[in-house]
Amino acid sequence: MATERRYMYYPKSLLSQSCLSFLLLITATLIDTALGIQRIVEHPTDQSVIVDNSVILHCKVADRVGTVQWTRNKFGLGNDRSLSAYPRYSVIGSQVNGEYNLWIQNASLLDDGVYECQISHTATQRGVRSNPAKVSVLLPPREPTIDSSPVITVTEGIDYNITCRSYDGKPAPNITWWINGQLQNKRSYEIVTTQSDGKREDIVGLMTIKPSKQDHGKEFECRAINPALTSYLKTTAKLHVLYKPQVTLSVSPPTEVTENTVMQFKCQADANPRVTSWKWYRNGNILSESSQLLEITSRQNYHGQTIKCEAINTVGKTTKSYKLNIEYSPRFVKEPLNVDADLGGRATLNCVVDGNPVPRVIWKKGSQEFPISKPTLTFSRALTEADFGTYVCVASSNLGSVERQVQLLKNGKPKVTGDLRQYAAEGDDAVIECESDSVPKPKEILWSRGSSKIATTGSSRFSTKESDLVKGRKSILTIKNIHAADYGDYNCTVINNYGMDSAIIKLIQKETTTPPKSMCNCMLPDAVPLAYVLAGVFGGLGVIVIIVVILIIYNRKKVKDEDSTADTNSTDSANKKNLENVRMEFRSTGSEYPGPQEPWRGDYLANHIRADAEYDQLGNIIPYQHTKQDGRPPVNGYGGHYDYQDGNMYDVDRRSSDRLPTYDSKGIHPRSYDSGFEPDVYPKQYGRPPPSSEFTNDIYGPPPTVTTGRLSTNV
């Protein structure tokens, strides 16, 4: 620390007076010496003595004639050198040399005062008094104390005076403050009070602090020292700071949060005393009041909002906030609006999108992409016909993309569109619609009948309602409880800034029918004509009749087939018996019965030659072709290849190299037997030629008269 130096400046007059006094004193001394006048040549000076210690006040005289004595506070102590009235006092020094020094032993507060060395006057000499000398008895103070020690409880942020007291010091001690061993230069001051004896002093030292959480647990030290002490006295106290919660907030997951993600927030706090309650807020709206934890599911509209945790204790409350950063795919803030413009004019298309991360915006028209990446498409040049049409605004990010169509429409005269023939039933409310293509939107849509405008204001029967279309507007004229006079022509006139257009809409009476009460009490929709209803009814009846006829025919056919099957079963029993007879004939001739051959199910042999019922029906039958024309047709299109050897015809099976005789000399297969039926030879429906007359007459004779119906078999 820099030492402050102070310089005293005295007026010239004062300096002159001092110099004059000094000269006069020297002059008087010289005169007294020359004249032999008694005098004090060594005066006592101020002294300080620590209690119980000794002190000497010096006094030396010359040319003494009178008696020397000491006074304390103007009271004489005695003329003898032993000062018997004051056991701790005595005059010491060489009397021959004029030394009359006052020795004070075991100094106490009683010795504190102003002392003088005096020479009494005589008849020839005047009395002499020394300069007064002050003896200050120094008394060390008692041990200092700090109020509320050893622990001082304070509250964060509130000014507090730490007080250190020290009593009975002489003089009052100097107090310094230390925190954790570091000398403090904080604002401090002392209050000194003198006790009733007028000697001892008490001191109160105060240091003002504004405590914080960081001061909690610090050691404050008060040191006291005065001249009676060779080392300081000290006392300490710990600071106990009450502070409101210091909050930390953690989030999981901390980054890259997309929509519909479960987010967990954890709030922790350092507080003294402990936290008594927790509160959670989202954008200022309270969510929970019970826990350190909060769980939410992220939403797009949460983006940019704030989650706040609040911790509360008896000192106060503290909050910690977290700003939500929710990533979401692009979306339109509002639907883009179509824009109308004049040919040769200017136009700007707007496409306001939102997304996180910020989406990239491009504009397209057909296959053309515009080299800009802004939500606005501005035509700074004059518009041409090619500029009008449909544009697409595409907003994309790594989370997806969206697009909308925006129409750049050319301003022009309106045009009435829609149905010019509309219907309503008498007694109903008629609704007549007039649609228009109009860019810009119509200023007015008027309804009239004949030359008279239809007044809807204040009317109980007529009212209009308008609604915007993409390119124009629709007006609806409603007529309540219409009657015959209301049918006819209605004029709809559409007017915009570029012109007008009108059309005649004819209101036509709609036919109505009332269904019989016995059928239903429902009303047919007005929009369905009576002719359509009747056609549907009769059509449904026709379908029902057809279904009934089909069921009858099917049942009759089924009964007939069941009867035919029964007859065939009885025939099969007889056939099995005939087969057994054939086997017995083979055994009687000593020949081995070769077993059944694969049956043929041809239309020719099926009625004449019956295969055994044990055989599978038509299993693995191989088509054949004649190798020699003999007039006999193929059997039902099935069989093998035929060859003739030894006057017999053989079947060459493609699956085997064996040749099996197929017919004997009479044309009968050796493994077949006569079923007793004669077929209708080669029916026409099979598309085969009839057998030759030679074959027919030789083997079978004239064909019998039989029915063309085929019999069912079980083979």
Side-chain angles (χ1 to χ4, degrees):
M1 295 175 61
T3 302
E4 181 181 0
R5 296 183 178 180
R6 296 183 179 181
Y7 299 90
M8 303 299 291
Y9 298 92
Y10 299 95
K12 290 183 179 180
S13 59
L14 182 59
L15 290 173
S16 299
Q17 292 176 4
S18 299
C19 291
L20 181 60
S21 299
F22 180 72
L23 291 174
L24 291 174
L25 179 60
I26 293 176
T27 301
T29 302
L30 292 174
I31 293 172
D32 288 344
T33 302
L35 296 176
I37 298 174
Q38 60 179 5
R39 61 191 179 277
I40 299 175
V41 296
E42 185 179 357
H43 293 263
T45 59
D46 294 344
Q47 298 284 334
S48 295
V49 60
I50 299 174
V51 69
D52 296 332
N53 288 333
S54 299
V55 63
I56 297 175
L57 298 175
H58 294 275
C59 180
K60 187 175 182 180
V61 302
D63 298 328
R64 178 184 67 81
V65 177
T67 303
V68 177
Q69 73 165 355
W70 284 90
T71 63
R72 183 184 68 188
N73 298 330
K74 298 182 180 181
F75 290 97
L77 299 179
N79 295 326
D80 61 303
R81 295 180 70 89
S82 63
L83 301 178
S84 56
Y86 298 92
R88 295 182 294 106
Y89 291 7
S90 62
V91 177
I92 61 175
S94 173
Q95 186 174 351
V96 174
N97 294 330
E99 295 175 351
Y100 292 86
N101 300 326
L102 179 62
W103 181 25
I104 305 173
Q105 302 179 64
N106 298 323
S108 70
L109 288 180
L110 294 176
D111 303 327
D112 194 78
V114 178
Y115 291 80
E116 289 183 356
C117 176
Q118 299 177 353
I119 304 175
S120 64
H121 67 278
T122 65
T124 59
Q125 299 281 338
R126 61 181 177 83
V128 181
R129 299 171 59 185
S130 69
N131 296 331
K134 184 178 182 181
V135 174
S136 297
V137 178
L138 305 179
L139 181 65
R142 284 190 283 171
E143 293 282 344
T145 60
I146 295 178
D147 291 357
S148 303
S149 62
V151 177
I152 304 173
T153 300
V154 295
T155 301
E156 180 185 32
I158 300 177
D159 285 349
Y160 186 84
N161 289 324
I162 300 179
T163 303
C164 179
R165 303 176 186 273
S166 182
Y167 300 106
D168 297 337
K170 186 178 180 302
N174 181 40
I175 288 180
T176 57
W177 290 96
W178 303 70
I179 299 178
N180 287 351
Q182 299 293 322
L183 178 63
Q184 300 299 303
N185 293 318
K186 294 183 179 181
R187 46 183 179 158
S188 62
Y189 56 95
E190 293 83 26
I191 301 174
V192 177
T193 304
T194 303
Q195 294 186 13
S196 59
D197 60 10
K199 299 181 182 300
R200 291 174 298 172
E201 294 177 334
D202 301 333
I203 188 170
V204 177
L206 300 102
M207 183 173 68
T208 302
I209 64 170
K210 186 183 288 291
S212 66
K213 172 185 177 295
Q214 288 71 29
D215 295 326
H216 180 68
K218 287 184 177 180
E219 182 179 73
F220 282 69
E221 181 180 313
C222 172
R223 295 181 182 180
I225 190 168
N226 75 350
L229 296 172
T230 57
S231 63
Y232 58 82
L233 304 175
K234 71 173 184 177
T235 185
T236 61
K238 289 279 188 179
L239 201 63
H240 182 78
V241 181
L242 302 178
Y243 52 90
K244 59 186 178 181
Q246 305 294 307
V247 179
T248 58
L249 180 60
S250 59
V251 185
S252 176
T255 58
E256 298 180 359
V257 177
T258 57
E259 288 184 275
N260 301 317
T261 299
V262 176
M263 301 183 68
Q264 291 183 335
F265 298 83
K266 186 174 183 180
C267 199
Q268 295 177 303
D270 177 16
N272 185 28
R274 66 180 184 84
V275 174
T276 55
S277 65
W278 304 87
K279 291 184 180 180
W280 291 93
Y281 300 85
R282 179 172 60 82
N283 254 27
N285 298 317
I286 192 163
L287 299 176
S288 172
E289 297 188 29
S290 58
S291 172
Q292 291 178 254
L293 299 175
L294 174 68
E295 185 174 287
I296 66 171
T297 301
S298 62
R299 299 285 183 265
Q300 177 269 329
N301 60 311
Y302 291 175
H303 177 64
Q305 294 187 357
T306 300
I307 296 294
K308 182 170 66 176
C309 166
E310 182 179 75
I312 304 170
N313 69 357
T314 56
V315 177
K317 59 185 178 181
T318 306
T319 61
K320 193 72 173 180
S321 298
Y322 179 85
K323 189 173 183 179
L324 294 172
N325 181 24
I326 309 299
E327 294 187 349
Y328 54 94
S329 59
R331 60 203 63 195
F332 289 93
V333 176
K334 60 181 180 179
E335 289 298 318
L337 300 178
N338 297 331
V339 175
D340 51 80
D342 294 333
L343 184 64
R346 302 287 191 272
T348 298
L349 305 182
N350 291 297
C351 174
V352 183
V353 295
D354 180 33
N356 186 32
V358 177
R360 176 177 178 265
V361 179
I362 61 172
W363 288 90
K364 297 190 296 184
K365 184 184 181 189
S367 59
Q368 179 185 6
E369 182 173 319
F370 294 88
I372 62 173
S373 181
K374 297 189 299 184
T376 58
L377 176 61
T378 301
F379 296 87
S380 56
R381 56 173 176 76
L383 294 172
T384 64
E385 288 286 354
D387 293 325
F388 295 98
T390 302
Y391 292 79
V392 179
C393 170
V394 181
S396 60
S397 71
N398 61 316
L399 299 179
S401 65
V402 290
E403 62 180 48
R404 290 290 187 277
Q405 290 185 350
V406 183
Q407 300 281 343
L408 179 57
L409 306 173
K410 184 175 69 173
N411 289 327
K413 294 174 56 177
K415 181 176 179 57
V416 177
T417 61
D419 193 355
L420 300 181
R421 296 173 63 86
Q422 301 186 29
Y423 299 85
E426 187 171 356
D428 291 347
D429 292 346
V431 177
I432 308 174
E433 297 182 351
C434 176
E435 297 182 0
S436 63
D437 287 341
S438 177
V439 179
K441 299 293 183 185
K443 294 192 302 182
E444 193 175 13
I445 300 179
L446 302 176
W447 289 91
S448 62
R449 191 173 188 194
S451 60
S452 301
K453 178 182 177 181
I454 298 176
T456 58
T457 304
S459 174
S460 60
R461 294 192 64 224
F462 295 90
S463 63
T464 57
K465 181 181 179 181
E466 295 183 358
S467 59
D468 283 339
L469 305 175
V470 175
K471 293 175 58 178
R473 186 170 293 158
K474 177 170 69 173
S475 178
I476 300 175
L477 174 64
T478 302
I479 308 172
K480 293 186 177 180
N481 190 25
I482 65 171
H483 44 76
D486 294 324
Y487 294 106
D489 295 340
Y490 289 83
N491 184 293
C492 175
T493 301
V494 181
I495 305 170
N496 70 6
N497 293 332
Y498 292 82
M500 59 179 291
D501 188 30
S502 62
I504 300 298
I505 301 176
K506 185 178 290 294
L507 180 61
I508 303 171
Q509 183 174 6
K510 180 169 61 177
E511 296 181 4
T512 59
T513 58
T514 303
K517 292 184 178 180
S518 59
M519 293 179 63
C520 70
N521 293 325
C522 58
M523 295 294 295
L524 292 175
D526 293 341
V528 181
L530 180 60
Y532 292 169
V533 176
L534 296 177
V537 171
F538 287 114
L541 293 175
V543 171
I544 294 174
V545 171
I546 292 172
I547 293 174
V548 172
V549 171
I550 292 174
L551 291 175
I552 293 173
I553 294 174
Y554 172 76
N555 288 333
R556 289 181 178 179
K557 178 83 166 59
K558 184 176 181 182
V559 171
K560 183 176 180 180
D561 289 345
E562 290 176 353
D563 294 341
S564 175
T565 301
D567 293 341
T568 303
N569 290 338
S570 62
T571 303
D572 286 343
S573 299
N575 290 344
K576 290 183 179 180
K577 183 176 181 181
N578 292 336
L579 179 60
E580 185 63 29
N581 293 333
V582 171
R583 288 175 176 169
M584 294 178 64
E585 288 181 6
F586 270 94
R587 295 191 189 100
S588 63
T589 59
S591 300
E592 183 66 26
Y593 177 57
Q597 187 180 353
E598 293 184 21
W600 296 338
R601 188 72 190 278
D603 289 331
Y604 175 77
L605 293 178
N607 292 324
H608 185 73
I609 302 175
R610 302 282 295 181
D612 197 300
E614 296 176 0
Y615 298 159
D616 294 334
Q617 295 188 14
L618 306 179
N620 298 321
I621 299 176
I622 301 174
Y624 73 92
Q625 61 183 5
H626 288 291
T627 58
K628 181 178 181 181
Q629 182 65 35
D630 63 345
R632 181 178 291 275
V635 182
N636 203 18
Y638 294 96
H641 295 284
Y642 288 83
D643 196 5
Y644 289 84
Q645 294 182 8
D646 304 327
N648 293 323
M649 181 171 61
Y650 290 85
D651 176 16
V652 182
D653 192 339
R654 293 182 183 177
R655 296 170 296 173
S656 172
S657 60
D658 296 337
R659 294 190 175 196
L660 301 177
T662 305
Y663 294 98
D664 58 13
S665 59
K666 294 183 180 182
I668 303 301
H669 196 286
R671 299 176 188 172
S672 62
Y673 57 92
D674 191 352
S675 63
F677 292 93
E678 292 292 340
D680 180 5
V681 180
Y682 307 121
K684 295 180 181 180
Q685 63 265 32
Y686 294 98
R688 297 190 297 271
S692 63
S693 59
E694 178 184 359
F695 176 80
T696 304
N697 293 333
D698 288 346
I699 300 177
Y700 297 103
T705 302
V706 296
T707 62
T708 59
R710 292 181 297 165
L711 298 178
S712 300
T713 73
N714 291 327
V715 297

